[in-house]
Amino acid sequence: MIIKEGFKERRLSEKPMEDFQAAIAKVWEDPTFFWEGGESNVAAQKRGVQALLNVLEEYEGKNIVVATHGNIMVLLMNFFDRSYDFLFWKSLGMPDIYELVFQGKKLIKVERIWNGPGEC
């Protein structure tokens, strides 16, 4: 197992948010907005995408597994296809597993392969 810091979940704020749903909605509505001590969608996406592009280059032509949290996963997917947005994030199961297929650094296929206990 190799840990890549770029895939860590984004920090929403330095303190727990009273209304998590409203707080997360705000950062998706305004991608440059960030709560005190937190990370904007733009910053989190940039960090995650750079990590992903590095991994795609390093392991070109190989099958790899990346484990991360849902928010950063959707921000990564959103970089390649804007249809993966806040509503998509809200639809995720916990846990949820997606297969992303790349041709070089181009996303060519997304398939949900598992979403939660009892699913397969």
Side-chain angles (χ1 to χ4, degrees):
M1 177 173 69
I2 301 168
I3 297 174
K4 302 282 187 182
E5 284 296 310
F7 294 125
K8 70 181 179 185
E9 182 63 307
R10 66 107 57 82
R11 180 180 211 163
L12 188 57
S13 74
E14 68 182 30
K15 298 184 269 185
M17 301 301 291
E18 203 169 295
D19 184 344
F20 175 77
Q21 291 298 322
I24 198 79
K26 174 70 175 166
V27 294
W28 278 92
E29 288 166 14
D30 179 355
T32 62
F33 177 82
F34 59 93
W35 298 100
E36 187 176 334
E39 192 175 27
S40 71
N41 273 18
V42 168
Q45 185 179 63
K46 182 178 179 180
R47 170 178 53 78
V49 167
Q50 187 58 59
L52 179 60
L53 294 176
N54 290 343
V55 165
L56 290 173
E57 187 175 308
E58 185 176 348
Y59 298 98
E60 185 175 0
K62 297 182 179 168
N63 293 326
I64 60 169
V65 173
V66 173
T68 190
H69 291 266
N71 201 259
I72 196 75
M73 179 186 80
V74 177
L75 286 170
L76 290 169
M77 294 165 76
N78 175 266
F79 176 82
F80 296 97
D81 183 340
R82 296 289 180 205
S83 69
Y84 297 104
D85 58 10
F86 180 63
L87 292 177
F88 176 79
W89 173 81
K90 286 179 70 168
S91 76
L92 292 177
M94 291 190 193
D96 216 338
I97 300 173
Y98 282 81
E99 176 185 27
L100 279 63
V101 178
F102 289 86
Q103 188 170 56
K105 294 181 180 177
K106 181 180 179 188
L107 179 64
I108 60 170
K109 177 185 167 194
V110 174
E111 182 180 352
R112 183 184 233 171
I113 58 176
W114 192 69
N115 81 329
E119 297 288 328
C120 203

